[in-house]
Amino acid sequence: MNLRPYQADAVASVIESFREYQKVLGVAATGGGKTIIFSALTQQWQKLAADFNLSPRVLIIAHREELLSQAAEKLHRMTGLIASVERADERASLHAPVVVGSVQTLCRRFDRWPKGHFGLVIVDECHHVMADSYQKPLTYLTEGGAKVLGVTATPGTKGKKALGNYFEEIAFEVGLIELIRKGFLSPITVKSFPLQADVKLTMKGGDYDQDQVDCALAPFLENIVSRLKAEIGDGKTLVFLPLIKTVTRFVELCHAHGISAAGVSGESENRREILAGHGRDYQVLANSMLLTEGYDDPGITHMLILRPTRSEILFSQMVGRGTRIYCPWGCSDRCAHNARKKG
């Protein structure tokens, strides 16, 4: 496995932190390769576990289908390790060296495994870790002393849910600007549509009321879509919208203006096929709160954010979907070709 220098440093820092702490945090900007980092750690743990007098088995926890699949696929591609899957009707083998598990499933049947069965537990998108659905299985699975690595691009939760209430040490931290400056992520150009709107929104659940956002956005949607082609050219575009019904309306307007588009949500039964068709069958993919985490598509060149938010975390997640370096010739990392800037 060929790691970028900062990824290799991150793995080494986690291992060193484990010599003093049980639960450590790793932070890297979206596109920085958190899955690659914990895949490399998983591979090394098979040999290192004995030094810590712990099991070589590894559990990787995620909360979305896309994250589970991504973790298993990248782990296998990068290390050759095959992960057994624990989710819904699937039950992982008790003999598997690596298990990828859905937190929704684990919180119901974590006691399938004896205490001490896993020596390392990795929590993907760990800014959710303070939720009861995580704490219950984690408390049980780490009673035998298992080490925990949590990875996230957005650690900024405050108050009682602050990650510092769970993790004891930050093992590594790699920021967006640093990775852009070093050429590992794409520079971003920000453009705005000069639409005049006097909108007053109230708060609901800690953010703007999305029903109000939908109503405020509705009069401007057609104007936005009519200008869209001139802004994105032939670029592969991802759109964030407040509600599923907004997605449906946006896609209909795209079709009316001759733009190939599709919508996807958590209710889409064929969402894997829809995601696979982006850039092949249609240029624009619109979604409502589905693709903010774990969606890895370096080919995205444009993002249209029509979901205003007070959350710095959510905004950085949306923007981060387009920061990965893209080379049309399929090169990885930096190459001699001109990687596209993202807009």
Side-chain angles (χ1 to χ4, degrees):
M1 182 189 299
N2 295 320
L3 300 177
R4 297 171 179 176
Y6 71 87
Q7 292 171 336
D9 290 344
V11 174
S13 294
V14 171
I15 293 169
E16 187 61 30
S17 294
F18 278 160
R19 301 192 186 283
E20 185 173 355
Y21 302 101
Q22 182 185 12
K23 298 172 287 190
V24 305
L25 175 66
V27 180
T30 300
K34 293 179 291 295
T35 309
I36 300 301
I37 291 170
F38 70 65
S39 293
L41 176 65
T42 297
Q43 184 180 43
Q44 291 194 30
W45 185 257
Q46 312 300 302
K47 299 177 181 178
L48 285 171
D51 294 345
F52 293 93
N53 198 29
L54 291 170
S55 166
R57 297 188 184 93
V58 179
L59 171 65
I60 300 169
I61 301 176
H63 71 289
R64 282 189 175 174
E65 173 68 26
E66 290 79 11
L67 294 172
L68 292 168
S69 300
Q70 178 179 287
E73 289 166 5
K74 285 193 176 181
L75 178 70
H76 181 242
R77 188 167 73 244
M78 300 302 296
T79 70
L81 291 168
I82 298 175
S84 191
V85 178
E86 181 78 10
R87 65 183 165 197
D89 295 333
E90 296 181 79
R91 290 180 176 259
S93 168
L94 293 176
H95 303 290
V98 184
V99 172
V100 175
S102 158
V103 68
Q104 293 88 345
T105 300
L106 287 170
C107 70
R108 296 194 308 270
R109 56 183 193 228
F110 55 82
D111 53 359
R112 277 196 64 212
W113 293 277
K115 293 177 181 179
H117 184 82
F118 297 106
L120 171 62
V121 178
I122 296 169
V123 184
D124 197 7
E125 302 292 352
C126 71
H127 45 276
H128 301 290
V129 78
M130 295 306 295
D132 291 342
S133 56
Y134 283 82
Q135 287 297 307
K136 193 173 180 179
L138 281 172
T139 298
Y140 174 86
L141 292 166
T142 59
E143 281 186 10
K147 301 293 184 179
V148 180
L149 168 66
V151 294
T152 182
T154 51
T157 307
K158 298 179 181 180
K160 292 182 179 179
K161 293 187 177 181
L163 298 186
N165 292 326
Y166 183 76
F167 294 104
E168 304 162 300
E169 170 78 352
I170 299 176
F172 65 87
E173 188 167 8
V174 187
L176 176 67
I177 302 302
E178 176 186 350
L179 293 180
I180 290 175
R181 285 175 177 167
K182 291 182 177 180
F184 290 118
L185 291 180
S186 175
I188 300 171
T189 301
V190 178
K191 291 185 177 182
S192 60
F193 287 1
L195 300 175
Q196 298 298 320
D198 183 14
V199 179
K200 295 181 180 179
L201 302 173
T202 59
M203 302 290 287
K204 183 178 180 180
D207 204 348
Y208 294 125
D209 184 326
Q210 294 306 298
D211 288 307
Q212 291 184 7
V213 171
D214 175 73
C215 291
L217 184 61
F220 301 99
L221 269 186
E222 184 158 12
N223 191 0
I224 291 170
V225 172
S226 70
R227 303 169 61 102
L228 189 59
K229 194 66 178 179
E231 297 291 342
I232 66 175
D234 62 353
K236 189 174 181 180
T237 303
L238 182 62
V239 182
F240 290 94
L241 292 158
L243 301 173
I244 295 174
K245 66 178 182 180
T246 329
V247 170
T248 301
R249 192 159 61 246
F250 184 88
V251 171
E252 290 172 349
L253 288 169
C254 282
H255 292 163
H257 284 267
I259 301 172
S260 58
V264 67
S265 73
E267 297 179 359
S268 303
E269 294 182 0
N270 59 335
R271 69 190 193 197
R272 186 183 291 268
E273 290 78 9
I274 295 173
L275 295 178
H278 190 200
R280 181 190 67 202
D281 304 325
Y282 41 83
Q283 179 183 3
V284 174
L285 177 62
N287 85 106
S288 170
M289 287 301 291
L290 177 67
L291 304 180
T292 54
E293 296 176 330
Y295 184 50
D296 182 355
D297 185 350
I300 293 171
T301 59
H302 293 78
M303 291 154 294
L304 178 59
I305 299 177
L306 297 175
R307 187 203 184 284
T309 179
R310 293 288 298 271
S311 169
E312 181 182 347
I313 290 177
L314 177 57
F315 185 76
S316 66
Q317 287 173 333
M318 291 188 286
V319 171
R321 296 310 112 200
T323 55
R324 289 174 173 84
I325 291 290
Y326 172 68
C327 176
W329 288 271
C331 300
S332 60
D333 292 344
R334 292 172 289 185
C335 64
H337 307 118
N338 291 320
R340 294 188 188 180
K341 287 186 178 181
K342 309 299 178 78

